[in-house]
Amino acid sequence: MNTAVAEITQLVRERVRREGIELGRGADARELVATQVRGYVEHTLANTGPIIADEHAVIEAVLAQITGYGALQPYLDDPEVEEIWVNAPTRVFVARNGVAELTSTVIPADELRDLIDRMLQSTGRRVDVSSPFVDASLPDGSRLHVVIPEIARRYPSINIRKFGRRVRDLNTLVDAGSLTPEAAAMLRSAVVAGANVLVSGATHTGKTTMVTALLAAVGARERIVTVEETFELDVVARDVVALQCRQPSLEGTGEITLRRLVKEALRMRPDRLVVGEVREAEALELIIALNSGVPGMCTIHANSARDALVKLSTLPLLAGRNIDASFVVPTVANTIDLVVHLEMTPQGKRRVREIIAPTGAVHAGVVEAVVLFDRCGGELAATGAPAPRPGRVSLVDSDELTRAPASHAAAAQPARWSGEGGTFAPMNYGYSGVRA
């Protein structure tokens, strides 16, 4: 079958070049390939050649070579596949439900480079010796990352992260068991109230999915501006502007950084600013924007919710020597209303690990925060701690919440009023200290 696919693919390409046919992934391409397959079958029968047992499979394989992404196309079309990565011609992996598996697919080395060129063709981005890394978005919204030799050993490394369209709101995550209805109700009301939400977690824990679900609670009249390195967020709203970074040209000019885009986004009348992920000095522009009254969200890689606050308090210091922690830490404490930390279990299940709320108080370089929800014994439960900013973060009535287990008793102790900034500062046994 592989020989037949290769021969038919070559015949279709020759006809396309000869007749100047413009091929897309529509009915015209399928009809052209089907005609060529029928002609090939008739020719092999007349000349006692090898018989094609499954014409439909051959047509799909040729279409994948001509208009799709070759051997990877079936995995891109499979809704159960979340991620695809290629380490070598015989090392093609996919992830289903968070679990990785080695496939039997083999992609010859010469086809790997051709595959990369085809994937980048519609993105306007390049990968070469001068720029051996590339991040791009495929037409279906999947994120592509490529590293070529000599940075990668011997073969190019390809990674494709697919973003499913099945999760549209918090209710879907509740149905999937990622969080409880009580936690979803609190998050939904916080978004409606204009709370600034930081979503943290390790890679593959569903941070982008969580942000998409949170944005479903934004009012229909609000204007959402998203800023990302490459397009990943799939926001369904009436008024959305999506921006992404740009690589420098061959001359080293024309680069558009995430830091620049955050500044530009503030000139676009945003009612809600969303930064796909903060990794470097753009964190400074983000906290300044959030401190100026523009509600927003962002994601960050961190091991815990507390570590996320530490990291967000540290990254702005990369912006320059004139940036001091005495400015950054209080700003983070006063701008971030909620931190939603996600995790992935060994079985591949993505879920909320904890939700904390900074109180706004900073003592001795420590950002104080109360734990509102925590996962104890496998269940995400409310701790009973009062929300430090009732105007932005409110819990449902206590009798509607699941009773917190005994291990949460300390976190549920009453808070005391702090005159500094007019915020709630919990007792020593009722807060999580975050030191910058």
Side-chain angles (χ1 to χ4, degrees):
M1 177 175 167
N2 289 337
T3 302
V5 169
E7 291 182 9
I8 296 171
T9 299
Q10 183 61 31
L11 291 172
V12 172
R13 285 175 175 166
E14 290 176 357
R15 181 178 174 183
V16 167
R17 284 194 294 267
R18 184 173 61 253
E19 300 181 13
I21 301 173
E22 292 289 338
L23 279 184
R25 294 199 67 194
D28 292 342
R30 179 173 293 276
E31 180 60 31
L32 176 63
V33 172
T35 300
Q36 201 68 53
V37 170
R38 286 193 294 269
Y40 182 87
V41 170
E42 293 172 359
H43 176 76
T44 54
L45 289 174
N47 294 275
T48 63
I51 299 175
I52 295 178
D54 189 345
E55 290 188 24
H56 177 74
V58 172
I59 291 173
E60 293 299 326
V62 174
L63 278 173
Q65 294 289 339
I66 298 296
T67 64
Y69 299 125
L72 298 184
Q73 191 61 48
Y75 302 123
L76 289 168
D77 294 336
D78 187 346
E80 299 301 320
V81 173
E82 302 166 347
E83 193 161 0
I84 308 161
W85 60 98
V86 181
N87 299 341
T90 59
R91 290 293 182 268
V92 180
F93 295 83
V94 299
R96 289 185 174 91
N97 298 318
V99 180
E101 60 182 72
L102 175 64
T103 70
S104 59
T105 300
V106 176
I107 306 176
D110 56 338
E111 289 186 17
L112 273 178
R113 181 67 205 200
D114 178 63
L115 182 61
I116 293 171
D117 290 339
R118 271 190 283 160
M119 288 191 288
L120 292 176
Q121 189 173 14
S122 63
T123 69
R125 302 197 174 194
R126 73 179 200 284
V127 61
D128 50 35
V129 175
S130 64
S131 180
F133 308 96
V134 67
D135 272 304
S137 295
L138 297 179
D140 66 350
S142 300
R143 188 185 73 185
L144 169 69
H145 181 75
V146 177
V147 185
I148 62 172
E150 299 172 339
I151 302 302
R153 177 182 290 184
R154 193 173 180 183
Y155 300 110
S157 173
I158 303 173
N159 185 281
I160 302 174
R161 175 87 62 84
K162 295 170 63 178
F163 295 96
R165 304 296 187 264
R166 291 173 290 182
V167 177
R168 287 298 188 188
D169 53 30
L170 291 170
N171 290 333
T172 309
L173 294 179
V174 171
D175 294 338
S178 298
L179 75 166
T180 61
E182 293 81 12
M186 185 273 292
L187 291 174
R188 189 178 296 109
S189 65
V191 172
V192 172
N196 296 320
V197 183
L198 178 64
V199 179
S200 64
T203 56
H204 316 299
T205 53
K207 297 184 294 297
T208 301
T209 300
M210 174 58 73
V211 170
T212 300
L214 290 171
L215 288 173
V218 173
R221 295 183 179 275
E222 293 192 35
R223 177 175 172 82
I224 303 171
V225 180
T226 67
V227 176
E228 305 171 86
E229 286 194 354
T230 58
F231 293 130
E232 296 180 19
L233 289 167
D234 181 34
V235 183
V236 178
R238 185 180 68 172
D239 191 355
V240 182
V241 176
L243 308 176
Q244 72 170 353
C245 299
R246 186 174 69 188
Q247 285 182 304
S249 65
L250 288 171
E251 294 77 21
T253 61
E255 181 181 16
I256 304 296
T257 65
L258 198 59
R259 193 174 180 184
R260 168 75 180 278
L261 287 180
V262 174
K263 294 178 181 178
E264 295 298 327
L266 293 177
R267 300 187 176 103
M268 303 176 71
R269 195 188 175 278
D271 294 314
R272 193 83 54 158
L273 174 64
V274 182
V275 179
E277 182 180 344
V278 287
R279 292 191 181 97
E280 299 179 12
E282 64 271 1
L284 176 63
E285 272 66 34
L286 173 65
I287 63 173
I288 291 175
L290 299 182
N291 195 41
S292 66
V294 179
M297 302 178 195
C298 72
T299 71
I300 193 168
H301 282 96
N303 293 324
S304 68
R306 304 174 192 180
D307 288 347
L309 286 175
V310 172
K311 190 171 183 179
L312 189 61
S313 299
T314 304
L315 290 178
L317 303 181
L318 301 175
R321 295 181 180 179
N322 59 326
I323 307 301
D324 191 80
S326 61
F327 161 74
V328 173
V329 177
T331 304
V332 170
N334 283 295
T335 56
I336 301 300
D337 297 304
L338 286 173
V339 183
V340 182
H341 185 71
L342 310 177
E343 68 176 3
M344 177 185 284
T345 67
Q347 295 75 33
K349 182 179 178 62
R350 298 173 176 88
R351 63 187 188 181
V352 175
R353 174 66 181 82
E354 61 180 334
I355 302 174
I356 70 173
T359 66
V362 177
H363 296 286
V366 175
V367 177
E368 295 185 353
V370 295
V371 181
L372 301 181
F373 287 85
D374 194 14
R375 193 171 289 276
C376 184
E379 295 295 328
L380 185 68
T383 63
R389 299 171 185 170
R392 292 191 135 188
V393 179
S394 59
L395 301 174
V396 296
D397 294 339
S398 58
D399 58 349
E400 296 179 5
L401 290 174
T402 304
R403 293 297 179 186
S407 60
H408 292 315
Q413 296 296 329
R416 58 179 170 81
W417 180 259
S418 169
E420 295 184 25
T423 58
F424 280 100
M427 298 294 192
N428 290 339
Y429 45 71
Y431 76 89
S432 306
V434 181
R435 186 179 299 275

